[in-house]
Amino acid sequence: VLAKHKKLILGLPFVAAIVAAVISLLLPNIYTGTTKILPPQQSQSTAAAMLNQLGGLAGIAGPSLGIKNPNDLYIGMLKSRTVADSLIARFELRKLYESKTADDTRRVLEANTRIASGKDGLITIEFDDKDAKFSAQVANAYVDELYKLTGVLAVTEAASST
């Protein structure tokens, strides 16, 4: 049976390999800009205070919401609408992605971005784009926006405690 169908058995994988090679050569290059940050180590009381800013029950519900350490809080801030809107305005992403609405632009930005916390305590921010320089700029801009947001939260916390 194998000898009878040897052309099919040998030809099909060969044709599939050629089709895969042609498709991979036709696809555009995608570059990934990567940034790693080490968030400041906070005491549990400071992390709880930041969670309390999210709402009265957030401090109590923190563990049930999946917030186990301060890195989760920073990842949540990086994925926030505030940071996304700042990046969209800063790089004029709505024009670049030719989106009709701001929600569509946020979805495309979210699809091109990966934010994760490693076991080593570092937060990795990765952004994919066809332009290598632009992908690096956006990945670094996430850090800038996080710095601005934590500064605003610190000022707000200081103002509310006086």
Side-chain angles (χ1 to χ4, degrees), residues 97-109:
Y97 294 143
E98 299 173 356
S99 302
K100 293 181 181 179
T101 64
D103 285 336
D104 292 340
T105 309
R106 275 188 223 102
R107 278 191 217 106
V108 174
L109 178 64

Side-chain angles (χ1 to χ4, degrees):
V1 174
L2 292 176
K4 185 178 176 183
H5 297 290
K6 67 181 174 186
K7 288 183 181 179
L8 181 66
I9 292 171
L10 296 175
L12 200 56
F14 182 73
V15 169
I18 296 213
V19 168
V22 168
I23 289 173
S24 67
L25 290 174
L26 293 176
L27 290 174
N29 292 334
I30 301 293
Y31 299 96
T32 302
T34 303
T35 302
K36 293 188 179 208
I37 58 172
L38 177 63
Q41 301 303 316
Q42 300 173 345
S43 66
Q44 185 62 31
S45 61
T46 306
M50 290 185 83
L51 282 172
N52 284 335
Q53 286 186 348
L54 300 175
L57 298 175
I60 298 168
S64 65
L65 293 174
I67 299 175
K68 298 176 186 79
N69 61 29
N71 285 5
D72 293 339
L73 181 64
Y74 285 107
I75 289 172
M77 286 193 287
L78 284 166
K79 291 181 177 181
S80 71
R81 185 175 180 159
T82 304
V83 171
D85 288 345
S86 296
L87 291 172
I88 289 168
R90 181 173 174 175
F91 293 105
E92 298 178 355
L93 295 179
R94 193 165 174 183
K95 259 193 254 179
L96 181 70
Y97 294 143
E98 299 173 356
S99 302
K100 293 181 181 179
T101 64
D103 285 336
D104 292 340
T105 309
R106 275 188 223 102
R107 278 191 217 106
V108 174
L109 178 64
E110 183 180 337
N112 291 335
T113 305
R114 290 179 305 285
I115 301 171
S117 177
K119 292 181 181 178
D120 54 1
L122 297 175
I123 296 175
T124 303
I125 304 164
E126 296 176 337
F127 181 77
D128 298 331
D129 195 72
K130 294 177 184 175
D131 182 13
K133 192 173 183 180
F134 182 70
S135 64
Q137 288 175 342
V138 174
N140 289 329
Y142 267 100
V143 178
D144 295 340
E145 295 302 326
L146 176 65
Y147 182 74
K148 289 177 189 174
L149 184 60
T150 54
V152 168
L153 289 176
V155 169
T156 304
E157 182 179 354
S160 66
S161 65
T162 56

